[in-house]
Amino acid sequence: MDTIIKTHYYVIEVYAPNERASGAVCRLFWSDMRFELLCKWRWYFEYRAALLKVQHPRHEVVQRWGSQEPTKKTEDQIKANLIAAKKRKITELSNKLELARKHWNQLFSIEDDPIHKKHAAKIERLRMELQEFINTSPLNQK
């Protein structure tokens, strides 16, 4: 499983008029965010930039964001979360499949049902992906 792990950052900088080369007067920086969090909290970053613009009306307020390589701790945390999510999904689907088997009251066997076959194949695929991810993850070498 080739999972590309990227984290994102957001920067707000305030520069004095005509003195950008001398450096920022004020700088706010958030890092190690997943893309979903960056999108979710974008309103907050815009709000903080607006507050800085009100505090420094003649200054230039610059906002920028982008992706970066995660730190080792963040990368390990993301990989651990991915493994936990896969395990959680496998358990959820297995429990639903077991419940369907328990309450099956049709004429033919549940193993012949196309929906059951599809879900069983999905569970097996998720188990193989999880095993492959665990084998390639550096977390298990510790």
PDB file of all heavy atoms in Angstrom, residues 39-65:
ATOM      1  N   CYS A  39      -8.742  22.527   5.773  1.00  0.00           N
ATOM      2  CA  CYS A  39      -9.984  23.019   5.156  1.00  0.00           C
ATOM      3  C   CYS A  39     -11.026  23.368   6.220  1.00  0.00           C
ATOM      4  O   CYS A  39     -11.726  24.369   6.107  1.00  0.00           O
ATOM      5  CB  CYS A  39     -10.543  21.978   4.201  1.00  0.00           C
ATOM      6  SG  CYS A  39      -9.521  21.738   2.741  1.00  0.00           S
ATOM      7  N   LYS A  40     -11.125  22.523   7.236  1.00  0.00           N
ATOM      8  CA  LYS A  40     -12.118  22.749   8.288  1.00  0.00           C
ATOM      9  C   LYS A  40     -11.865  24.045   9.051  1.00  0.00           C
ATOM     10  O   LYS A  40     -12.798  24.760   9.381  1.00  0.00           O
ATOM     11  CB  LYS A  40     -12.085  21.560   9.258  1.00  0.00           C
ATOM     12  CG  LYS A  40     -13.046  21.683  10.412  1.00  0.00           C
ATOM     13  CD  LYS A  40     -12.935  20.472  11.325  1.00  0.00           C
ATOM     14  CE  LYS A  40     -13.858  20.591  12.506  1.00  0.00           C
ATOM     15  NZ  LYS A  40     -13.786  19.440  13.384  1.00  0.00           N
ATOM     16  N   TRP A  41     -10.602  24.353   9.336  1.00  0.00           N
ATOM     17  CA  TRP A  41     -10.259  25.518  10.148  1.00  0.00           C
ATOM     18  C   TRP A  41      -9.843  26.732   9.325  1.00  0.00           C
ATOM     19  O   TRP A  41      -9.358  27.722   9.868  1.00  0.00           O
ATOM     20  CB  TRP A  41      -9.152  25.152  11.138  1.00  0.00           C
ATOM     21  CG  TRP A  41      -9.675  24.211  12.161  1.00  0.00           C
ATOM     22  CD1 TRP A  41      -9.521  22.862  12.191  1.00  0.00           C
ATOM     23  CD2 TRP A  41     -10.488  24.530  13.291  1.00  0.00           C
ATOM     24  NE1 TRP A  41     -10.170  22.323  13.265  1.00  0.00           N
ATOM     25  CE2 TRP A  41     -10.772  23.333  13.962  1.00  0.00           C
ATOM     26  CE3 TRP A  41     -11.003  25.722  13.798  1.00  0.00           C
ATOM     27  CZ2 TRP A  41     -11.550  23.293  15.109  1.00  0.00           C
ATOM     28  CZ3 TRP A  41     -11.771  25.685  14.949  1.00  0.00           C
ATOM     29  CH2 TRP A  41     -12.033  24.469  15.582  1.00  0.00           C
ATOM     30  N   ARG A  42     -10.072  26.684   8.031  1.00  0.00           N
ATOM     31  CA  ARG A  42      -9.701  27.812   7.175  1.00  0.00           C
ATOM     32  C   ARG A  42     -10.391  29.098   7.627  1.00  0.00           C
ATOM     33  O   ARG A  42      -9.808  30.172   7.591  1.00  0.00           O
ATOM     34  CB  ARG A  42     -10.054  27.478   5.731  1.00  0.00           C
ATOM     35  CG  ARG A  42      -9.671  28.522   4.739  1.00  0.00           C
ATOM     36  CD  ARG A  42      -8.552  28.025   3.943  1.00  0.00           C
ATOM     37  NE  ARG A  42      -8.046  29.079   3.089  1.00  0.00           N
ATOM     38  CZ  ARG A  42      -7.304  28.854   2.070  1.00  0.00           C
ATOM     39  NH1 ARG A  42      -6.981  27.620   1.785  1.00  0.00           N
ATOM     40  NH2 ARG A  42      -6.847  29.829   1.356  1.00  0.00           N
ATOM     41  N   TRP A  43     -11.652  28.994   8.065  1.00  0.00           N
ATOM     42  CA  TRP A  43     -12.382  30.178   8.529  1.00  0.00           C
ATOM     43  C   TRP A  43     -11.655  30.826   9.700  1.00  0.00           C
ATOM     44  O   TRP A  43     -11.616  32.053   9.819  1.00  0.00           O
ATOM     45  CB  TRP A  43     -13.806  29.802   8.934  1.00  0.00           C
ATOM     46  CG  TRP A  43     -13.864  28.949  10.169  1.00  0.00           C
ATOM     47  CD1 TRP A  43     -13.853  27.595  10.224  1.00  0.00           C
ATOM     48  CD2 TRP A  43     -13.903  29.401  11.527  1.00  0.00           C
ATOM     49  NE1 TRP A  43     -13.886  27.161  11.529  1.00  0.00           N
ATOM     50  CE2 TRP A  43     -13.923  28.261  12.355  1.00  0.00           C
ATOM     51  CE3 TRP A  43     -13.936  30.656  12.130  1.00  0.00           C
ATOM     52  CZ2 TRP A  43     -13.967  28.345  13.739  1.00  0.00           C
ATOM     53  CZ3 TRP A  43     -13.973  30.728  13.512  1.00  0.00           C
ATOM     54  CH2 TRP A  43     -13.995  29.579  14.296  1.00  0.00           C
ATOM     55  N   TYR A  44     -11.075  30.005  10.580  1.00  0.00           N
ATOM     56  CA  TYR A  44     -10.373  30.528  11.746  1.00  0.00           C
ATOM     57  C   TYR A  44      -9.115  31.284  11.319  1.00  0.00           C
ATOM     58  O   TYR A  44      -8.811  32.359  11.858  1.00  0.00           O
ATOM     59  CB  TYR A  44     -10.010  29.382  12.696  1.00  0.00           C
ATOM     60  CG  TYR A  44      -9.204  29.827  13.892  1.00  0.00           C
ATOM     61  CD1 TYR A  44      -9.790  30.561  14.908  1.00  0.00           C
ATOM     62  CD2 TYR A  44      -7.848  29.532  13.978  1.00  0.00           C
ATOM     63  CE1 TYR A  44      -9.051  30.986  16.000  1.00  0.00           C
ATOM     64  CE2 TYR A  44      -7.106  29.948  15.065  1.00  0.00           C
ATOM     65  CZ  TYR A  44      -7.719  30.670  16.077  1.00  0.00           C
ATOM     66  OH  TYR A  44      -6.983  31.097  17.159  1.00  0.00           O
ATOM     67  N   PHE A  45      -8.395  30.752  10.363  1.00  0.00           N
ATOM     68  CA  PHE A  45      -7.194  31.424   9.884  1.00  0.00           C
ATOM     69  C   PHE A  45      -7.546  32.757   9.225  1.00  0.00           C
ATOM     70  O   PHE A  45      -6.850  33.758   9.421  1.00  0.00           O
ATOM     71  CB  PHE A  45      -6.433  30.533   8.904  1.00  0.00           C
ATOM     72  CG  PHE A  45      -6.084  29.173   9.469  1.00  0.00           C
ATOM     73  CD1 PHE A  45      -6.222  28.040   8.691  1.00  0.00           C
ATOM     74  CD2 PHE A  45      -5.621  29.031  10.762  1.00  0.00           C
ATOM     75  CE1 PHE A  45      -5.893  26.788   9.201  1.00  0.00           C
ATOM     76  CE2 PHE A  45      -5.288  27.792  11.281  1.00  0.00           C
ATOM     77  CZ  PHE A  45      -5.437  26.670  10.494  1.00  0.00           C
ATOM     78  N   GLU A  46      -8.630  32.760   8.453  1.00  0.00           N
ATOM     79  CA  GLU A  46      -9.084  34.010   7.843  1.00  0.00           C
ATOM     80  C   GLU A  46      -9.475  35.025   8.926  1.00  0.00           C
ATOM     81  O   GLU A  46      -9.187  36.213   8.807  1.00  0.00           O
ATOM     82  CB  GLU A  46     -10.285  33.751   6.920  1.00  0.00           C
ATOM     83  CG  GLU A  46      -9.998  32.839   5.758  1.00  0.00           C
ATOM     84  CD  GLU A  46      -9.170  33.508   4.678  1.00  0.00           C
ATOM     85  OE1 GLU A  46      -9.180  34.754   4.600  1.00  0.00           O
ATOM     86  OE2 GLU A  46      -8.499  32.780   3.926  1.00  0.00           O
ATOM     87  N   TYR A  47     -10.117  34.542   9.969  1.00  0.00           N
ATOM     88  CA  TYR A  47     -10.514  35.401  11.092  1.00  0.00           C
ATOM     89  C   TYR A  47      -9.288  36.004  11.774  1.00  0.00           C
ATOM     90  O   TYR A  47      -9.241  37.190  12.056  1.00  0.00           O
ATOM     91  CB  TYR A  47     -11.345  34.571  12.073  1.00  0.00           C
ATOM     92  CG  TYR A  47     -11.627  35.235  13.397  1.00  0.00           C
ATOM     93  CD1 TYR A  47     -12.541  36.275  13.499  1.00  0.00           C
ATOM     94  CD2 TYR A  47     -10.977  34.810  14.555  1.00  0.00           C
ATOM     95  CE1 TYR A  47     -12.800  36.881  14.724  1.00  0.00           C
ATOM     96  CE2 TYR A  47     -11.225  35.406  15.778  1.00  0.00           C
ATOM     97  CZ  TYR A  47     -12.142  36.443  15.849  1.00  0.00           C
ATOM     98  OH  TYR A  47     -12.388  37.037  17.056  1.00  0.00           O
ATOM     99  N   ARG A  48      -8.267  35.170  12.037  1.00  0.00           N
ATOM    100  CA  ARG A  48      -7.044  35.677  12.668  1.00  0.00           C
ATOM    101  C   ARG A  48      -6.331  36.684  11.780  1.00  0.00           C
ATOM    102  O   ARG A  48      -5.790  37.683  12.263  1.00  0.00           O
ATOM    103  CB  ARG A  48      -6.105  34.510  12.998  1.00  0.00           C
ATOM    104  CG  ARG A  48      -6.602  33.574  14.079  1.00  0.00           C
ATOM    105  CD  ARG A  48      -6.782  34.282  15.421  1.00  0.00           C
ATOM    106  NE  ARG A  48      -5.568  34.846  15.940  1.00  0.00           N
ATOM    107  CZ  ARG A  48      -4.764  34.276  16.837  1.00  0.00           C
ATOM    108  NH1 ARG A  48      -5.092  33.114  17.342  1.00  0.00           N
ATOM    109  NH2 ARG A  48      -3.674  34.884  17.241  1.00  0.00           N
ATOM    110  N   ALA A  49      -6.356  36.464  10.470  1.00  0.00           N
ATOM    111  CA  ALA A  49      -5.753  37.426   9.543  1.00  0.00           C
ATOM    112  C   ALA A  49      -6.521  38.746   9.569  1.00  0.00           C
ATOM    113  O   ALA A  49      -5.913  39.831   9.541  1.00  0.00           O
ATOM    114  CB  ALA A  49      -5.723  36.849   8.135  1.00  0.00           C
ATOM    115  N   ALA A  50      -7.840  38.670   9.655  1.00  0.00           N
ATOM    116  CA  ALA A  50      -8.648  39.889   9.724  1.00  0.00           C
ATOM    117  C   ALA A  50      -8.370  40.649  11.021  1.00  0.00           C
ATOM    118  O   ALA A  50      -8.300  41.888  11.019  1.00  0.00           O
ATOM    119  CB  ALA A  50     -10.129  39.542   9.603  1.00  0.00           C
ATOM    120  N   LEU A  51      -8.219  39.933  12.128  1.00  0.00           N
ATOM    121  CA  LEU A  51      -7.886  40.595  13.394  1.00  0.00           C
ATOM    122  C   LEU A  51      -6.545  41.314  13.300  1.00  0.00           C
ATOM    123  O   LEU A  51      -6.397  42.446  13.792  1.00  0.00           O
ATOM    124  CB  LEU A  51      -7.837  39.574  14.536  1.00  0.00           C
ATOM    125  CG  LEU A  51      -9.161  39.066  15.066  1.00  0.00           C
ATOM    126  CD1 LEU A  51      -8.916  38.032  16.166  1.00  0.00           C
ATOM    127  CD2 LEU A  51     -10.008  40.191  15.604  1.00  0.00           C
ATOM    128  N   LEU A  52      -5.570  40.682  12.672  1.00  0.00           N
ATOM    129  CA  LEU A  52      -4.270  41.326  12.505  1.00  0.00           C
ATOM    130  C   LEU A  52      -4.371  42.544  11.588  1.00  0.00           C
ATOM    131  O   LEU A  52      -3.685  43.547  11.800  1.00  0.00           O
ATOM    132  CB  LEU A  52      -3.246  40.329  11.952  1.00  0.00           C
ATOM    133  CG  LEU A  52      -2.779  39.277  12.949  1.00  0.00           C
ATOM    134  CD1 LEU A  52      -1.914  38.232  12.253  1.00  0.00           C
ATOM    135  CD2 LEU A  52      -2.023  39.913  14.094  1.00  0.00           C
ATOM    136  N   LYS A  53      -5.215  42.468  10.593  1.00  0.00           N
ATOM    137  CA  LYS A  53      -5.403  43.611   9.694  1.00  0.00           C
ATOM    138  C   LYS A  53      -6.027  44.786  10.450  1.00  0.00           C
ATOM    139  O   LYS A  53      -5.668  45.943  10.233  1.00  0.00           O
ATOM    140  CB  LYS A  53      -6.287  43.202   8.513  1.00  0.00           C
ATOM    141  CG  LYS A  53      -6.416  44.244   7.455  1.00  0.00           C
ATOM    142  CD  LYS A  53      -5.075  44.479   6.791  1.00  0.00           C
ATOM    143  CE  LYS A  53      -5.209  45.492   5.680  1.00  0.00           C
ATOM    144  NZ  LYS A  53      -3.913  45.949   5.191  1.00  0.00           N
ATOM    145  N   VAL A  54      -6.946  44.496  11.385  1.00  0.00           N
ATOM    146  CA  VAL A  54      -7.552  45.553  12.195  1.00  0.00           C
ATOM    147  C   VAL A  54      -6.519  46.137  13.160  1.00  0.00           C
ATOM    148  O   VAL A  54      -6.466  47.349  13.369  1.00  0.00           O
ATOM    149  CB  VAL A  54      -8.786  45.017  12.957  1.00  0.00           C
ATOM    150  CG1 VAL A  54      -9.270  46.002  13.999  1.00  0.00           C
ATOM    151  CG2 VAL A  54      -9.900  44.690  11.979  1.00  0.00           C
ATOM    152  N   GLN A  55      -5.680  45.295  13.727  1.00  0.00           N
ATOM    153  CA  GLN A  55      -4.654  45.765  14.669  1.00  0.00           C
ATOM    154  C   GLN A  55      -3.557  46.569  13.965  1.00  0.00           C
ATOM    155  O   GLN A  55      -2.973  47.472  14.550  1.00  0.00           O
ATOM    156  CB  GLN A  55      -4.011  44.576  15.389  1.00  0.00           C
ATOM    157  CG  GLN A  55      -4.920  43.897  16.378  1.00  0.00           C
ATOM    158  CD  GLN A  55      -4.281  42.627  16.944  1.00  0.00           C
ATOM    159  OE1 GLN A  55      -3.200  42.219  16.521  1.00  0.00           O
ATOM    160  NE2 GLN A  55      -4.964  42.011  17.896  1.00  0.00           N
ATOM    161  N   HIS A  56      -3.264  46.225  12.735  1.00  0.00           N
ATOM    162  CA  HIS A  56      -2.198  46.892  11.971  1.00  0.00           C
ATOM    163  C   HIS A  56      -2.782  47.362  10.634  1.00  0.00           C
ATOM    164  O   HIS A  56      -2.516  46.765   9.592  1.00  0.00           O
ATOM    165  CB  HIS A  56      -1.028  45.929  11.719  1.00  0.00           C
ATOM    166  CG  HIS A  56      -0.504  45.276  12.950  1.00  0.00           C
ATOM    167  ND1 HIS A  56       0.327  45.915  13.828  1.00  0.00           N
ATOM    168  CD2 HIS A  56      -0.699  44.031  13.459  1.00  0.00           C
ATOM    169  CE1 HIS A  56       0.634  45.092  14.820  1.00  0.00           C
ATOM    170  NE2 HIS A  56       0.018  43.937  14.615  1.00  0.00           N
ATOM    171  N   PRO A  57      -3.571  48.442  10.635  1.00  0.00           N
ATOM    172  CA  PRO A  57      -4.297  48.823   9.414  1.00  0.00           C
ATOM    173  C   PRO A  57      -3.408  49.244   8.251  1.00  0.00           C
ATOM    174  O   PRO A  57      -3.778  49.075   7.092  1.00  0.00           O
ATOM    175  CB  PRO A  57      -5.182  49.969   9.870  1.00  0.00           C
ATOM    176  CG  PRO A  57      -4.587  50.465  11.130  1.00  0.00           C
ATOM    177  CD  PRO A  57      -3.863  49.324  11.752  1.00  0.00           C
ATOM    178  N   ARG A  58      -2.224  49.752   8.504  1.00  0.00           N
ATOM    179  CA  ARG A  58      -1.360  50.213   7.413  1.00  0.00           C
ATOM    180  C   ARG A  58      -0.332  49.164   6.989  1.00  0.00           C
ATOM    181  O   ARG A  58       0.444  49.400   6.064  1.00  0.00           O
ATOM    182  CB  ARG A  58      -0.646  51.487   7.829  1.00  0.00           C
ATOM    183  CG  ARG A  58      -1.623  52.621   8.017  1.00  0.00           C
ATOM    184  CD  ARG A  58      -0.925  53.862   8.479  1.00  0.00           C
ATOM    185  NE  ARG A  58      -1.910  54.861   8.798  1.00  0.00           N
ATOM    186  CZ  ARG A  58      -1.999  56.034   8.204  1.00  0.00           C
ATOM    187  NH1 ARG A  58      -1.131  56.348   7.268  1.00  0.00           N
ATOM    188  NH2 ARG A  58      -2.923  56.888   8.551  1.00  0.00           N
ATOM    189  N   HIS A  59      -0.335  48.066   7.668  1.00  0.00           N
ATOM    190  CA  HIS A  59       0.634  47.021   7.357  1.00  0.00           C
ATOM    191  C   HIS A  59       0.050  46.045   6.334  1.00  0.00           C
ATOM    192  O   HIS A  59      -1.164  45.968   6.138  1.00  0.00           O
ATOM    193  CB  HIS A  59       1.027  46.263   8.627  1.00  0.00           C
ATOM    194  CG  HIS A  59       1.839  47.083   9.581  1.00  0.00           C
ATOM    195  ND1 HIS A  59       1.404  48.234  10.165  1.00  0.00           N
ATOM    196  CD2 HIS A  59       3.087  46.875  10.053  1.00  0.00           C
ATOM    197  CE1 HIS A  59       2.323  48.720  10.962  1.00  0.00           C
ATOM    198  NE2 HIS A  59       3.374  47.898  10.912  1.00  0.00           N
ATOM    199  N   GLU A  60       0.943  45.284   5.737  1.00  0.00           N
ATOM    200  CA  GLU A  60       0.536  44.263   4.773  1.00  0.00           C
ATOM    201  C   GLU A  60       0.400  42.922   5.492  1.00  0.00           C
ATOM    202  O   GLU A  60       1.322  42.470   6.175  1.00  0.00           O
ATOM    203  CB  GLU A  60       1.600  44.151   3.679  1.00  0.00           C
ATOM    204  CG  GLU A  60       1.276  43.121   2.634  1.00  0.00           C
ATOM    205  CD  GLU A  60       2.388  42.957   1.618  1.00  0.00           C
ATOM    206  OE1 GLU A  60       3.455  43.581   1.764  1.00  0.00           O
ATOM    207  OE2 GLU A  60       2.181  42.164   0.676  1.00  0.00           O
ATOM    208  N   VAL A  61      -0.754  42.288   5.352  1.00  0.00           N
ATOM    209  CA  VAL A  61      -1.008  40.980   5.958  1.00  0.00           C
ATOM    210  C   VAL A  61      -0.962  39.932   4.848  1.00  0.00           C
ATOM    211  O   VAL A  61      -1.728  40.000   3.891  1.00  0.00           O
ATOM    212  CB  VAL A  61      -2.375  40.946   6.683  1.00  0.00           C
ATOM    213  CG1 VAL A  61      -2.639  39.558   7.246  1.00  0.00           C
ATOM    214  CG2 VAL A  61      -2.425  41.987   7.781  1.00  0.00           C
ATOM    215  N   VAL A  62      -0.039  38.988   4.986  1.00  0.00           N
ATOM    216  CA  VAL A  62       0.160  37.952   3.969  1.00  0.00           C
ATOM    217  C   VAL A  62      -0.217  36.604   4.569  1.00  0.00           C
ATOM    218  O   VAL A  62       0.227  36.259   5.664  1.00  0.00           O
ATOM    219  CB  VAL A  62       1.636  37.933   3.497  1.00  0.00           C
ATOM    220  CG1 VAL A  62       1.862  36.824   2.493  1.00  0.00           C
ATOM    221  CG2 VAL A  62       2.033  39.279   2.933  1.00  0.00           C
ATOM    222  N   GLN A  63      -1.029  35.855   3.818  1.00  0.00           N
ATOM    223  CA  GLN A  63      -1.415  34.510   4.241  1.00  0.00           C
ATOM    224  C   GLN A  63      -0.904  33.537   3.193  1.00  0.00           C
ATOM    225  O   GLN A  63      -1.009  33.786   2.000  1.00  0.00           O
ATOM    226  CB  GLN A  63      -2.937  34.379   4.308  1.00  0.00           C
ATOM    227  CG  GLN A  63      -3.605  35.370   5.227  1.00  0.00           C
ATOM    228  CD  GLN A  63      -5.109  35.237   5.128  1.00  0.00           C
ATOM    229  OE1 GLN A  63      -5.631  34.161   5.378  1.00  0.00           O
ATOM    230  NE2 GLN A  63      -5.781  36.304   4.759  1.00  0.00           N
ATOM    231  N   ARG A  64      -0.381  32.424   3.652  1.00  0.00           N
ATOM    232  CA  ARG A  64       0.045  31.374   2.733  1.00  0.00           C
ATOM    233  C   ARG A  64      -0.074  30.026   3.422  1.00  0.00           C
ATOM    234  O   ARG A  64      -0.017  29.939   4.649  1.00  0.00           O
ATOM    235  CB  ARG A  64       1.441  31.619   2.186  1.00  0.00           C
ATOM    236  CG  ARG A  64       2.511  31.774   3.174  1.00  0.00           C
ATOM    237  CD  ARG A  64       3.822  32.249   2.531  1.00  0.00           C
ATOM    238  NE  ARG A  64       4.753  32.604   3.578  1.00  0.00           N
ATOM    239  CZ  ARG A  64       5.590  31.763   4.147  1.00  0.00           C
ATOM    240  NH1 ARG A  64       5.644  30.517   3.747  1.00  0.00           N
ATOM    241  NH2 ARG A  64       6.389  32.159   5.113  1.00  0.00           N
ATOM    242  N   TRP A  65      -0.232  29.008   2.625  1.00  0.00           N
ATOM    243  CA  TRP A  65      -0.307  27.649   3.147  1.00  0.00           C
ATOM    244  C   TRP A  65       0.278  26.707   2.112  1.00  0.00           C
ATOM    245  O   TRP A  65       0.458  27.062   0.962  1.00  0.00           O
ATOM    246  CB  TRP A  65      -1.747  27.270   3.500  1.00  0.00           C
ATOM    247  CG  TRP A  65      -2.666  27.216   2.320  1.00  0.00           C
ATOM    248  CD1 TRP A  65      -3.309  28.260   1.714  1.00  0.00           C
ATOM    249  CD2 TRP A  65      -3.043  26.053   1.587  1.00  0.00           C
ATOM    250  NE1 TRP A  65      -4.051  27.824   0.654  1.00  0.00           N
ATOM    251  CE2 TRP A  65      -3.911  26.466   0.560  1.00  0.00           C
ATOM    252  CE3 TRP A  65      -2.718  24.711   1.693  1.00  0.00           C
ATOM    253  CZ2 TRP A  65      -4.456  25.576  -0.345  1.00  0.00           C
ATOM    254  CZ3 TRP A  65      -3.272  23.825   0.788  1.00  0.00           C
ATOM    255  CH2 TRP A  65      -4.140  24.273  -0.212  1.00  0.00           C
TER     256      TRP A  65
END
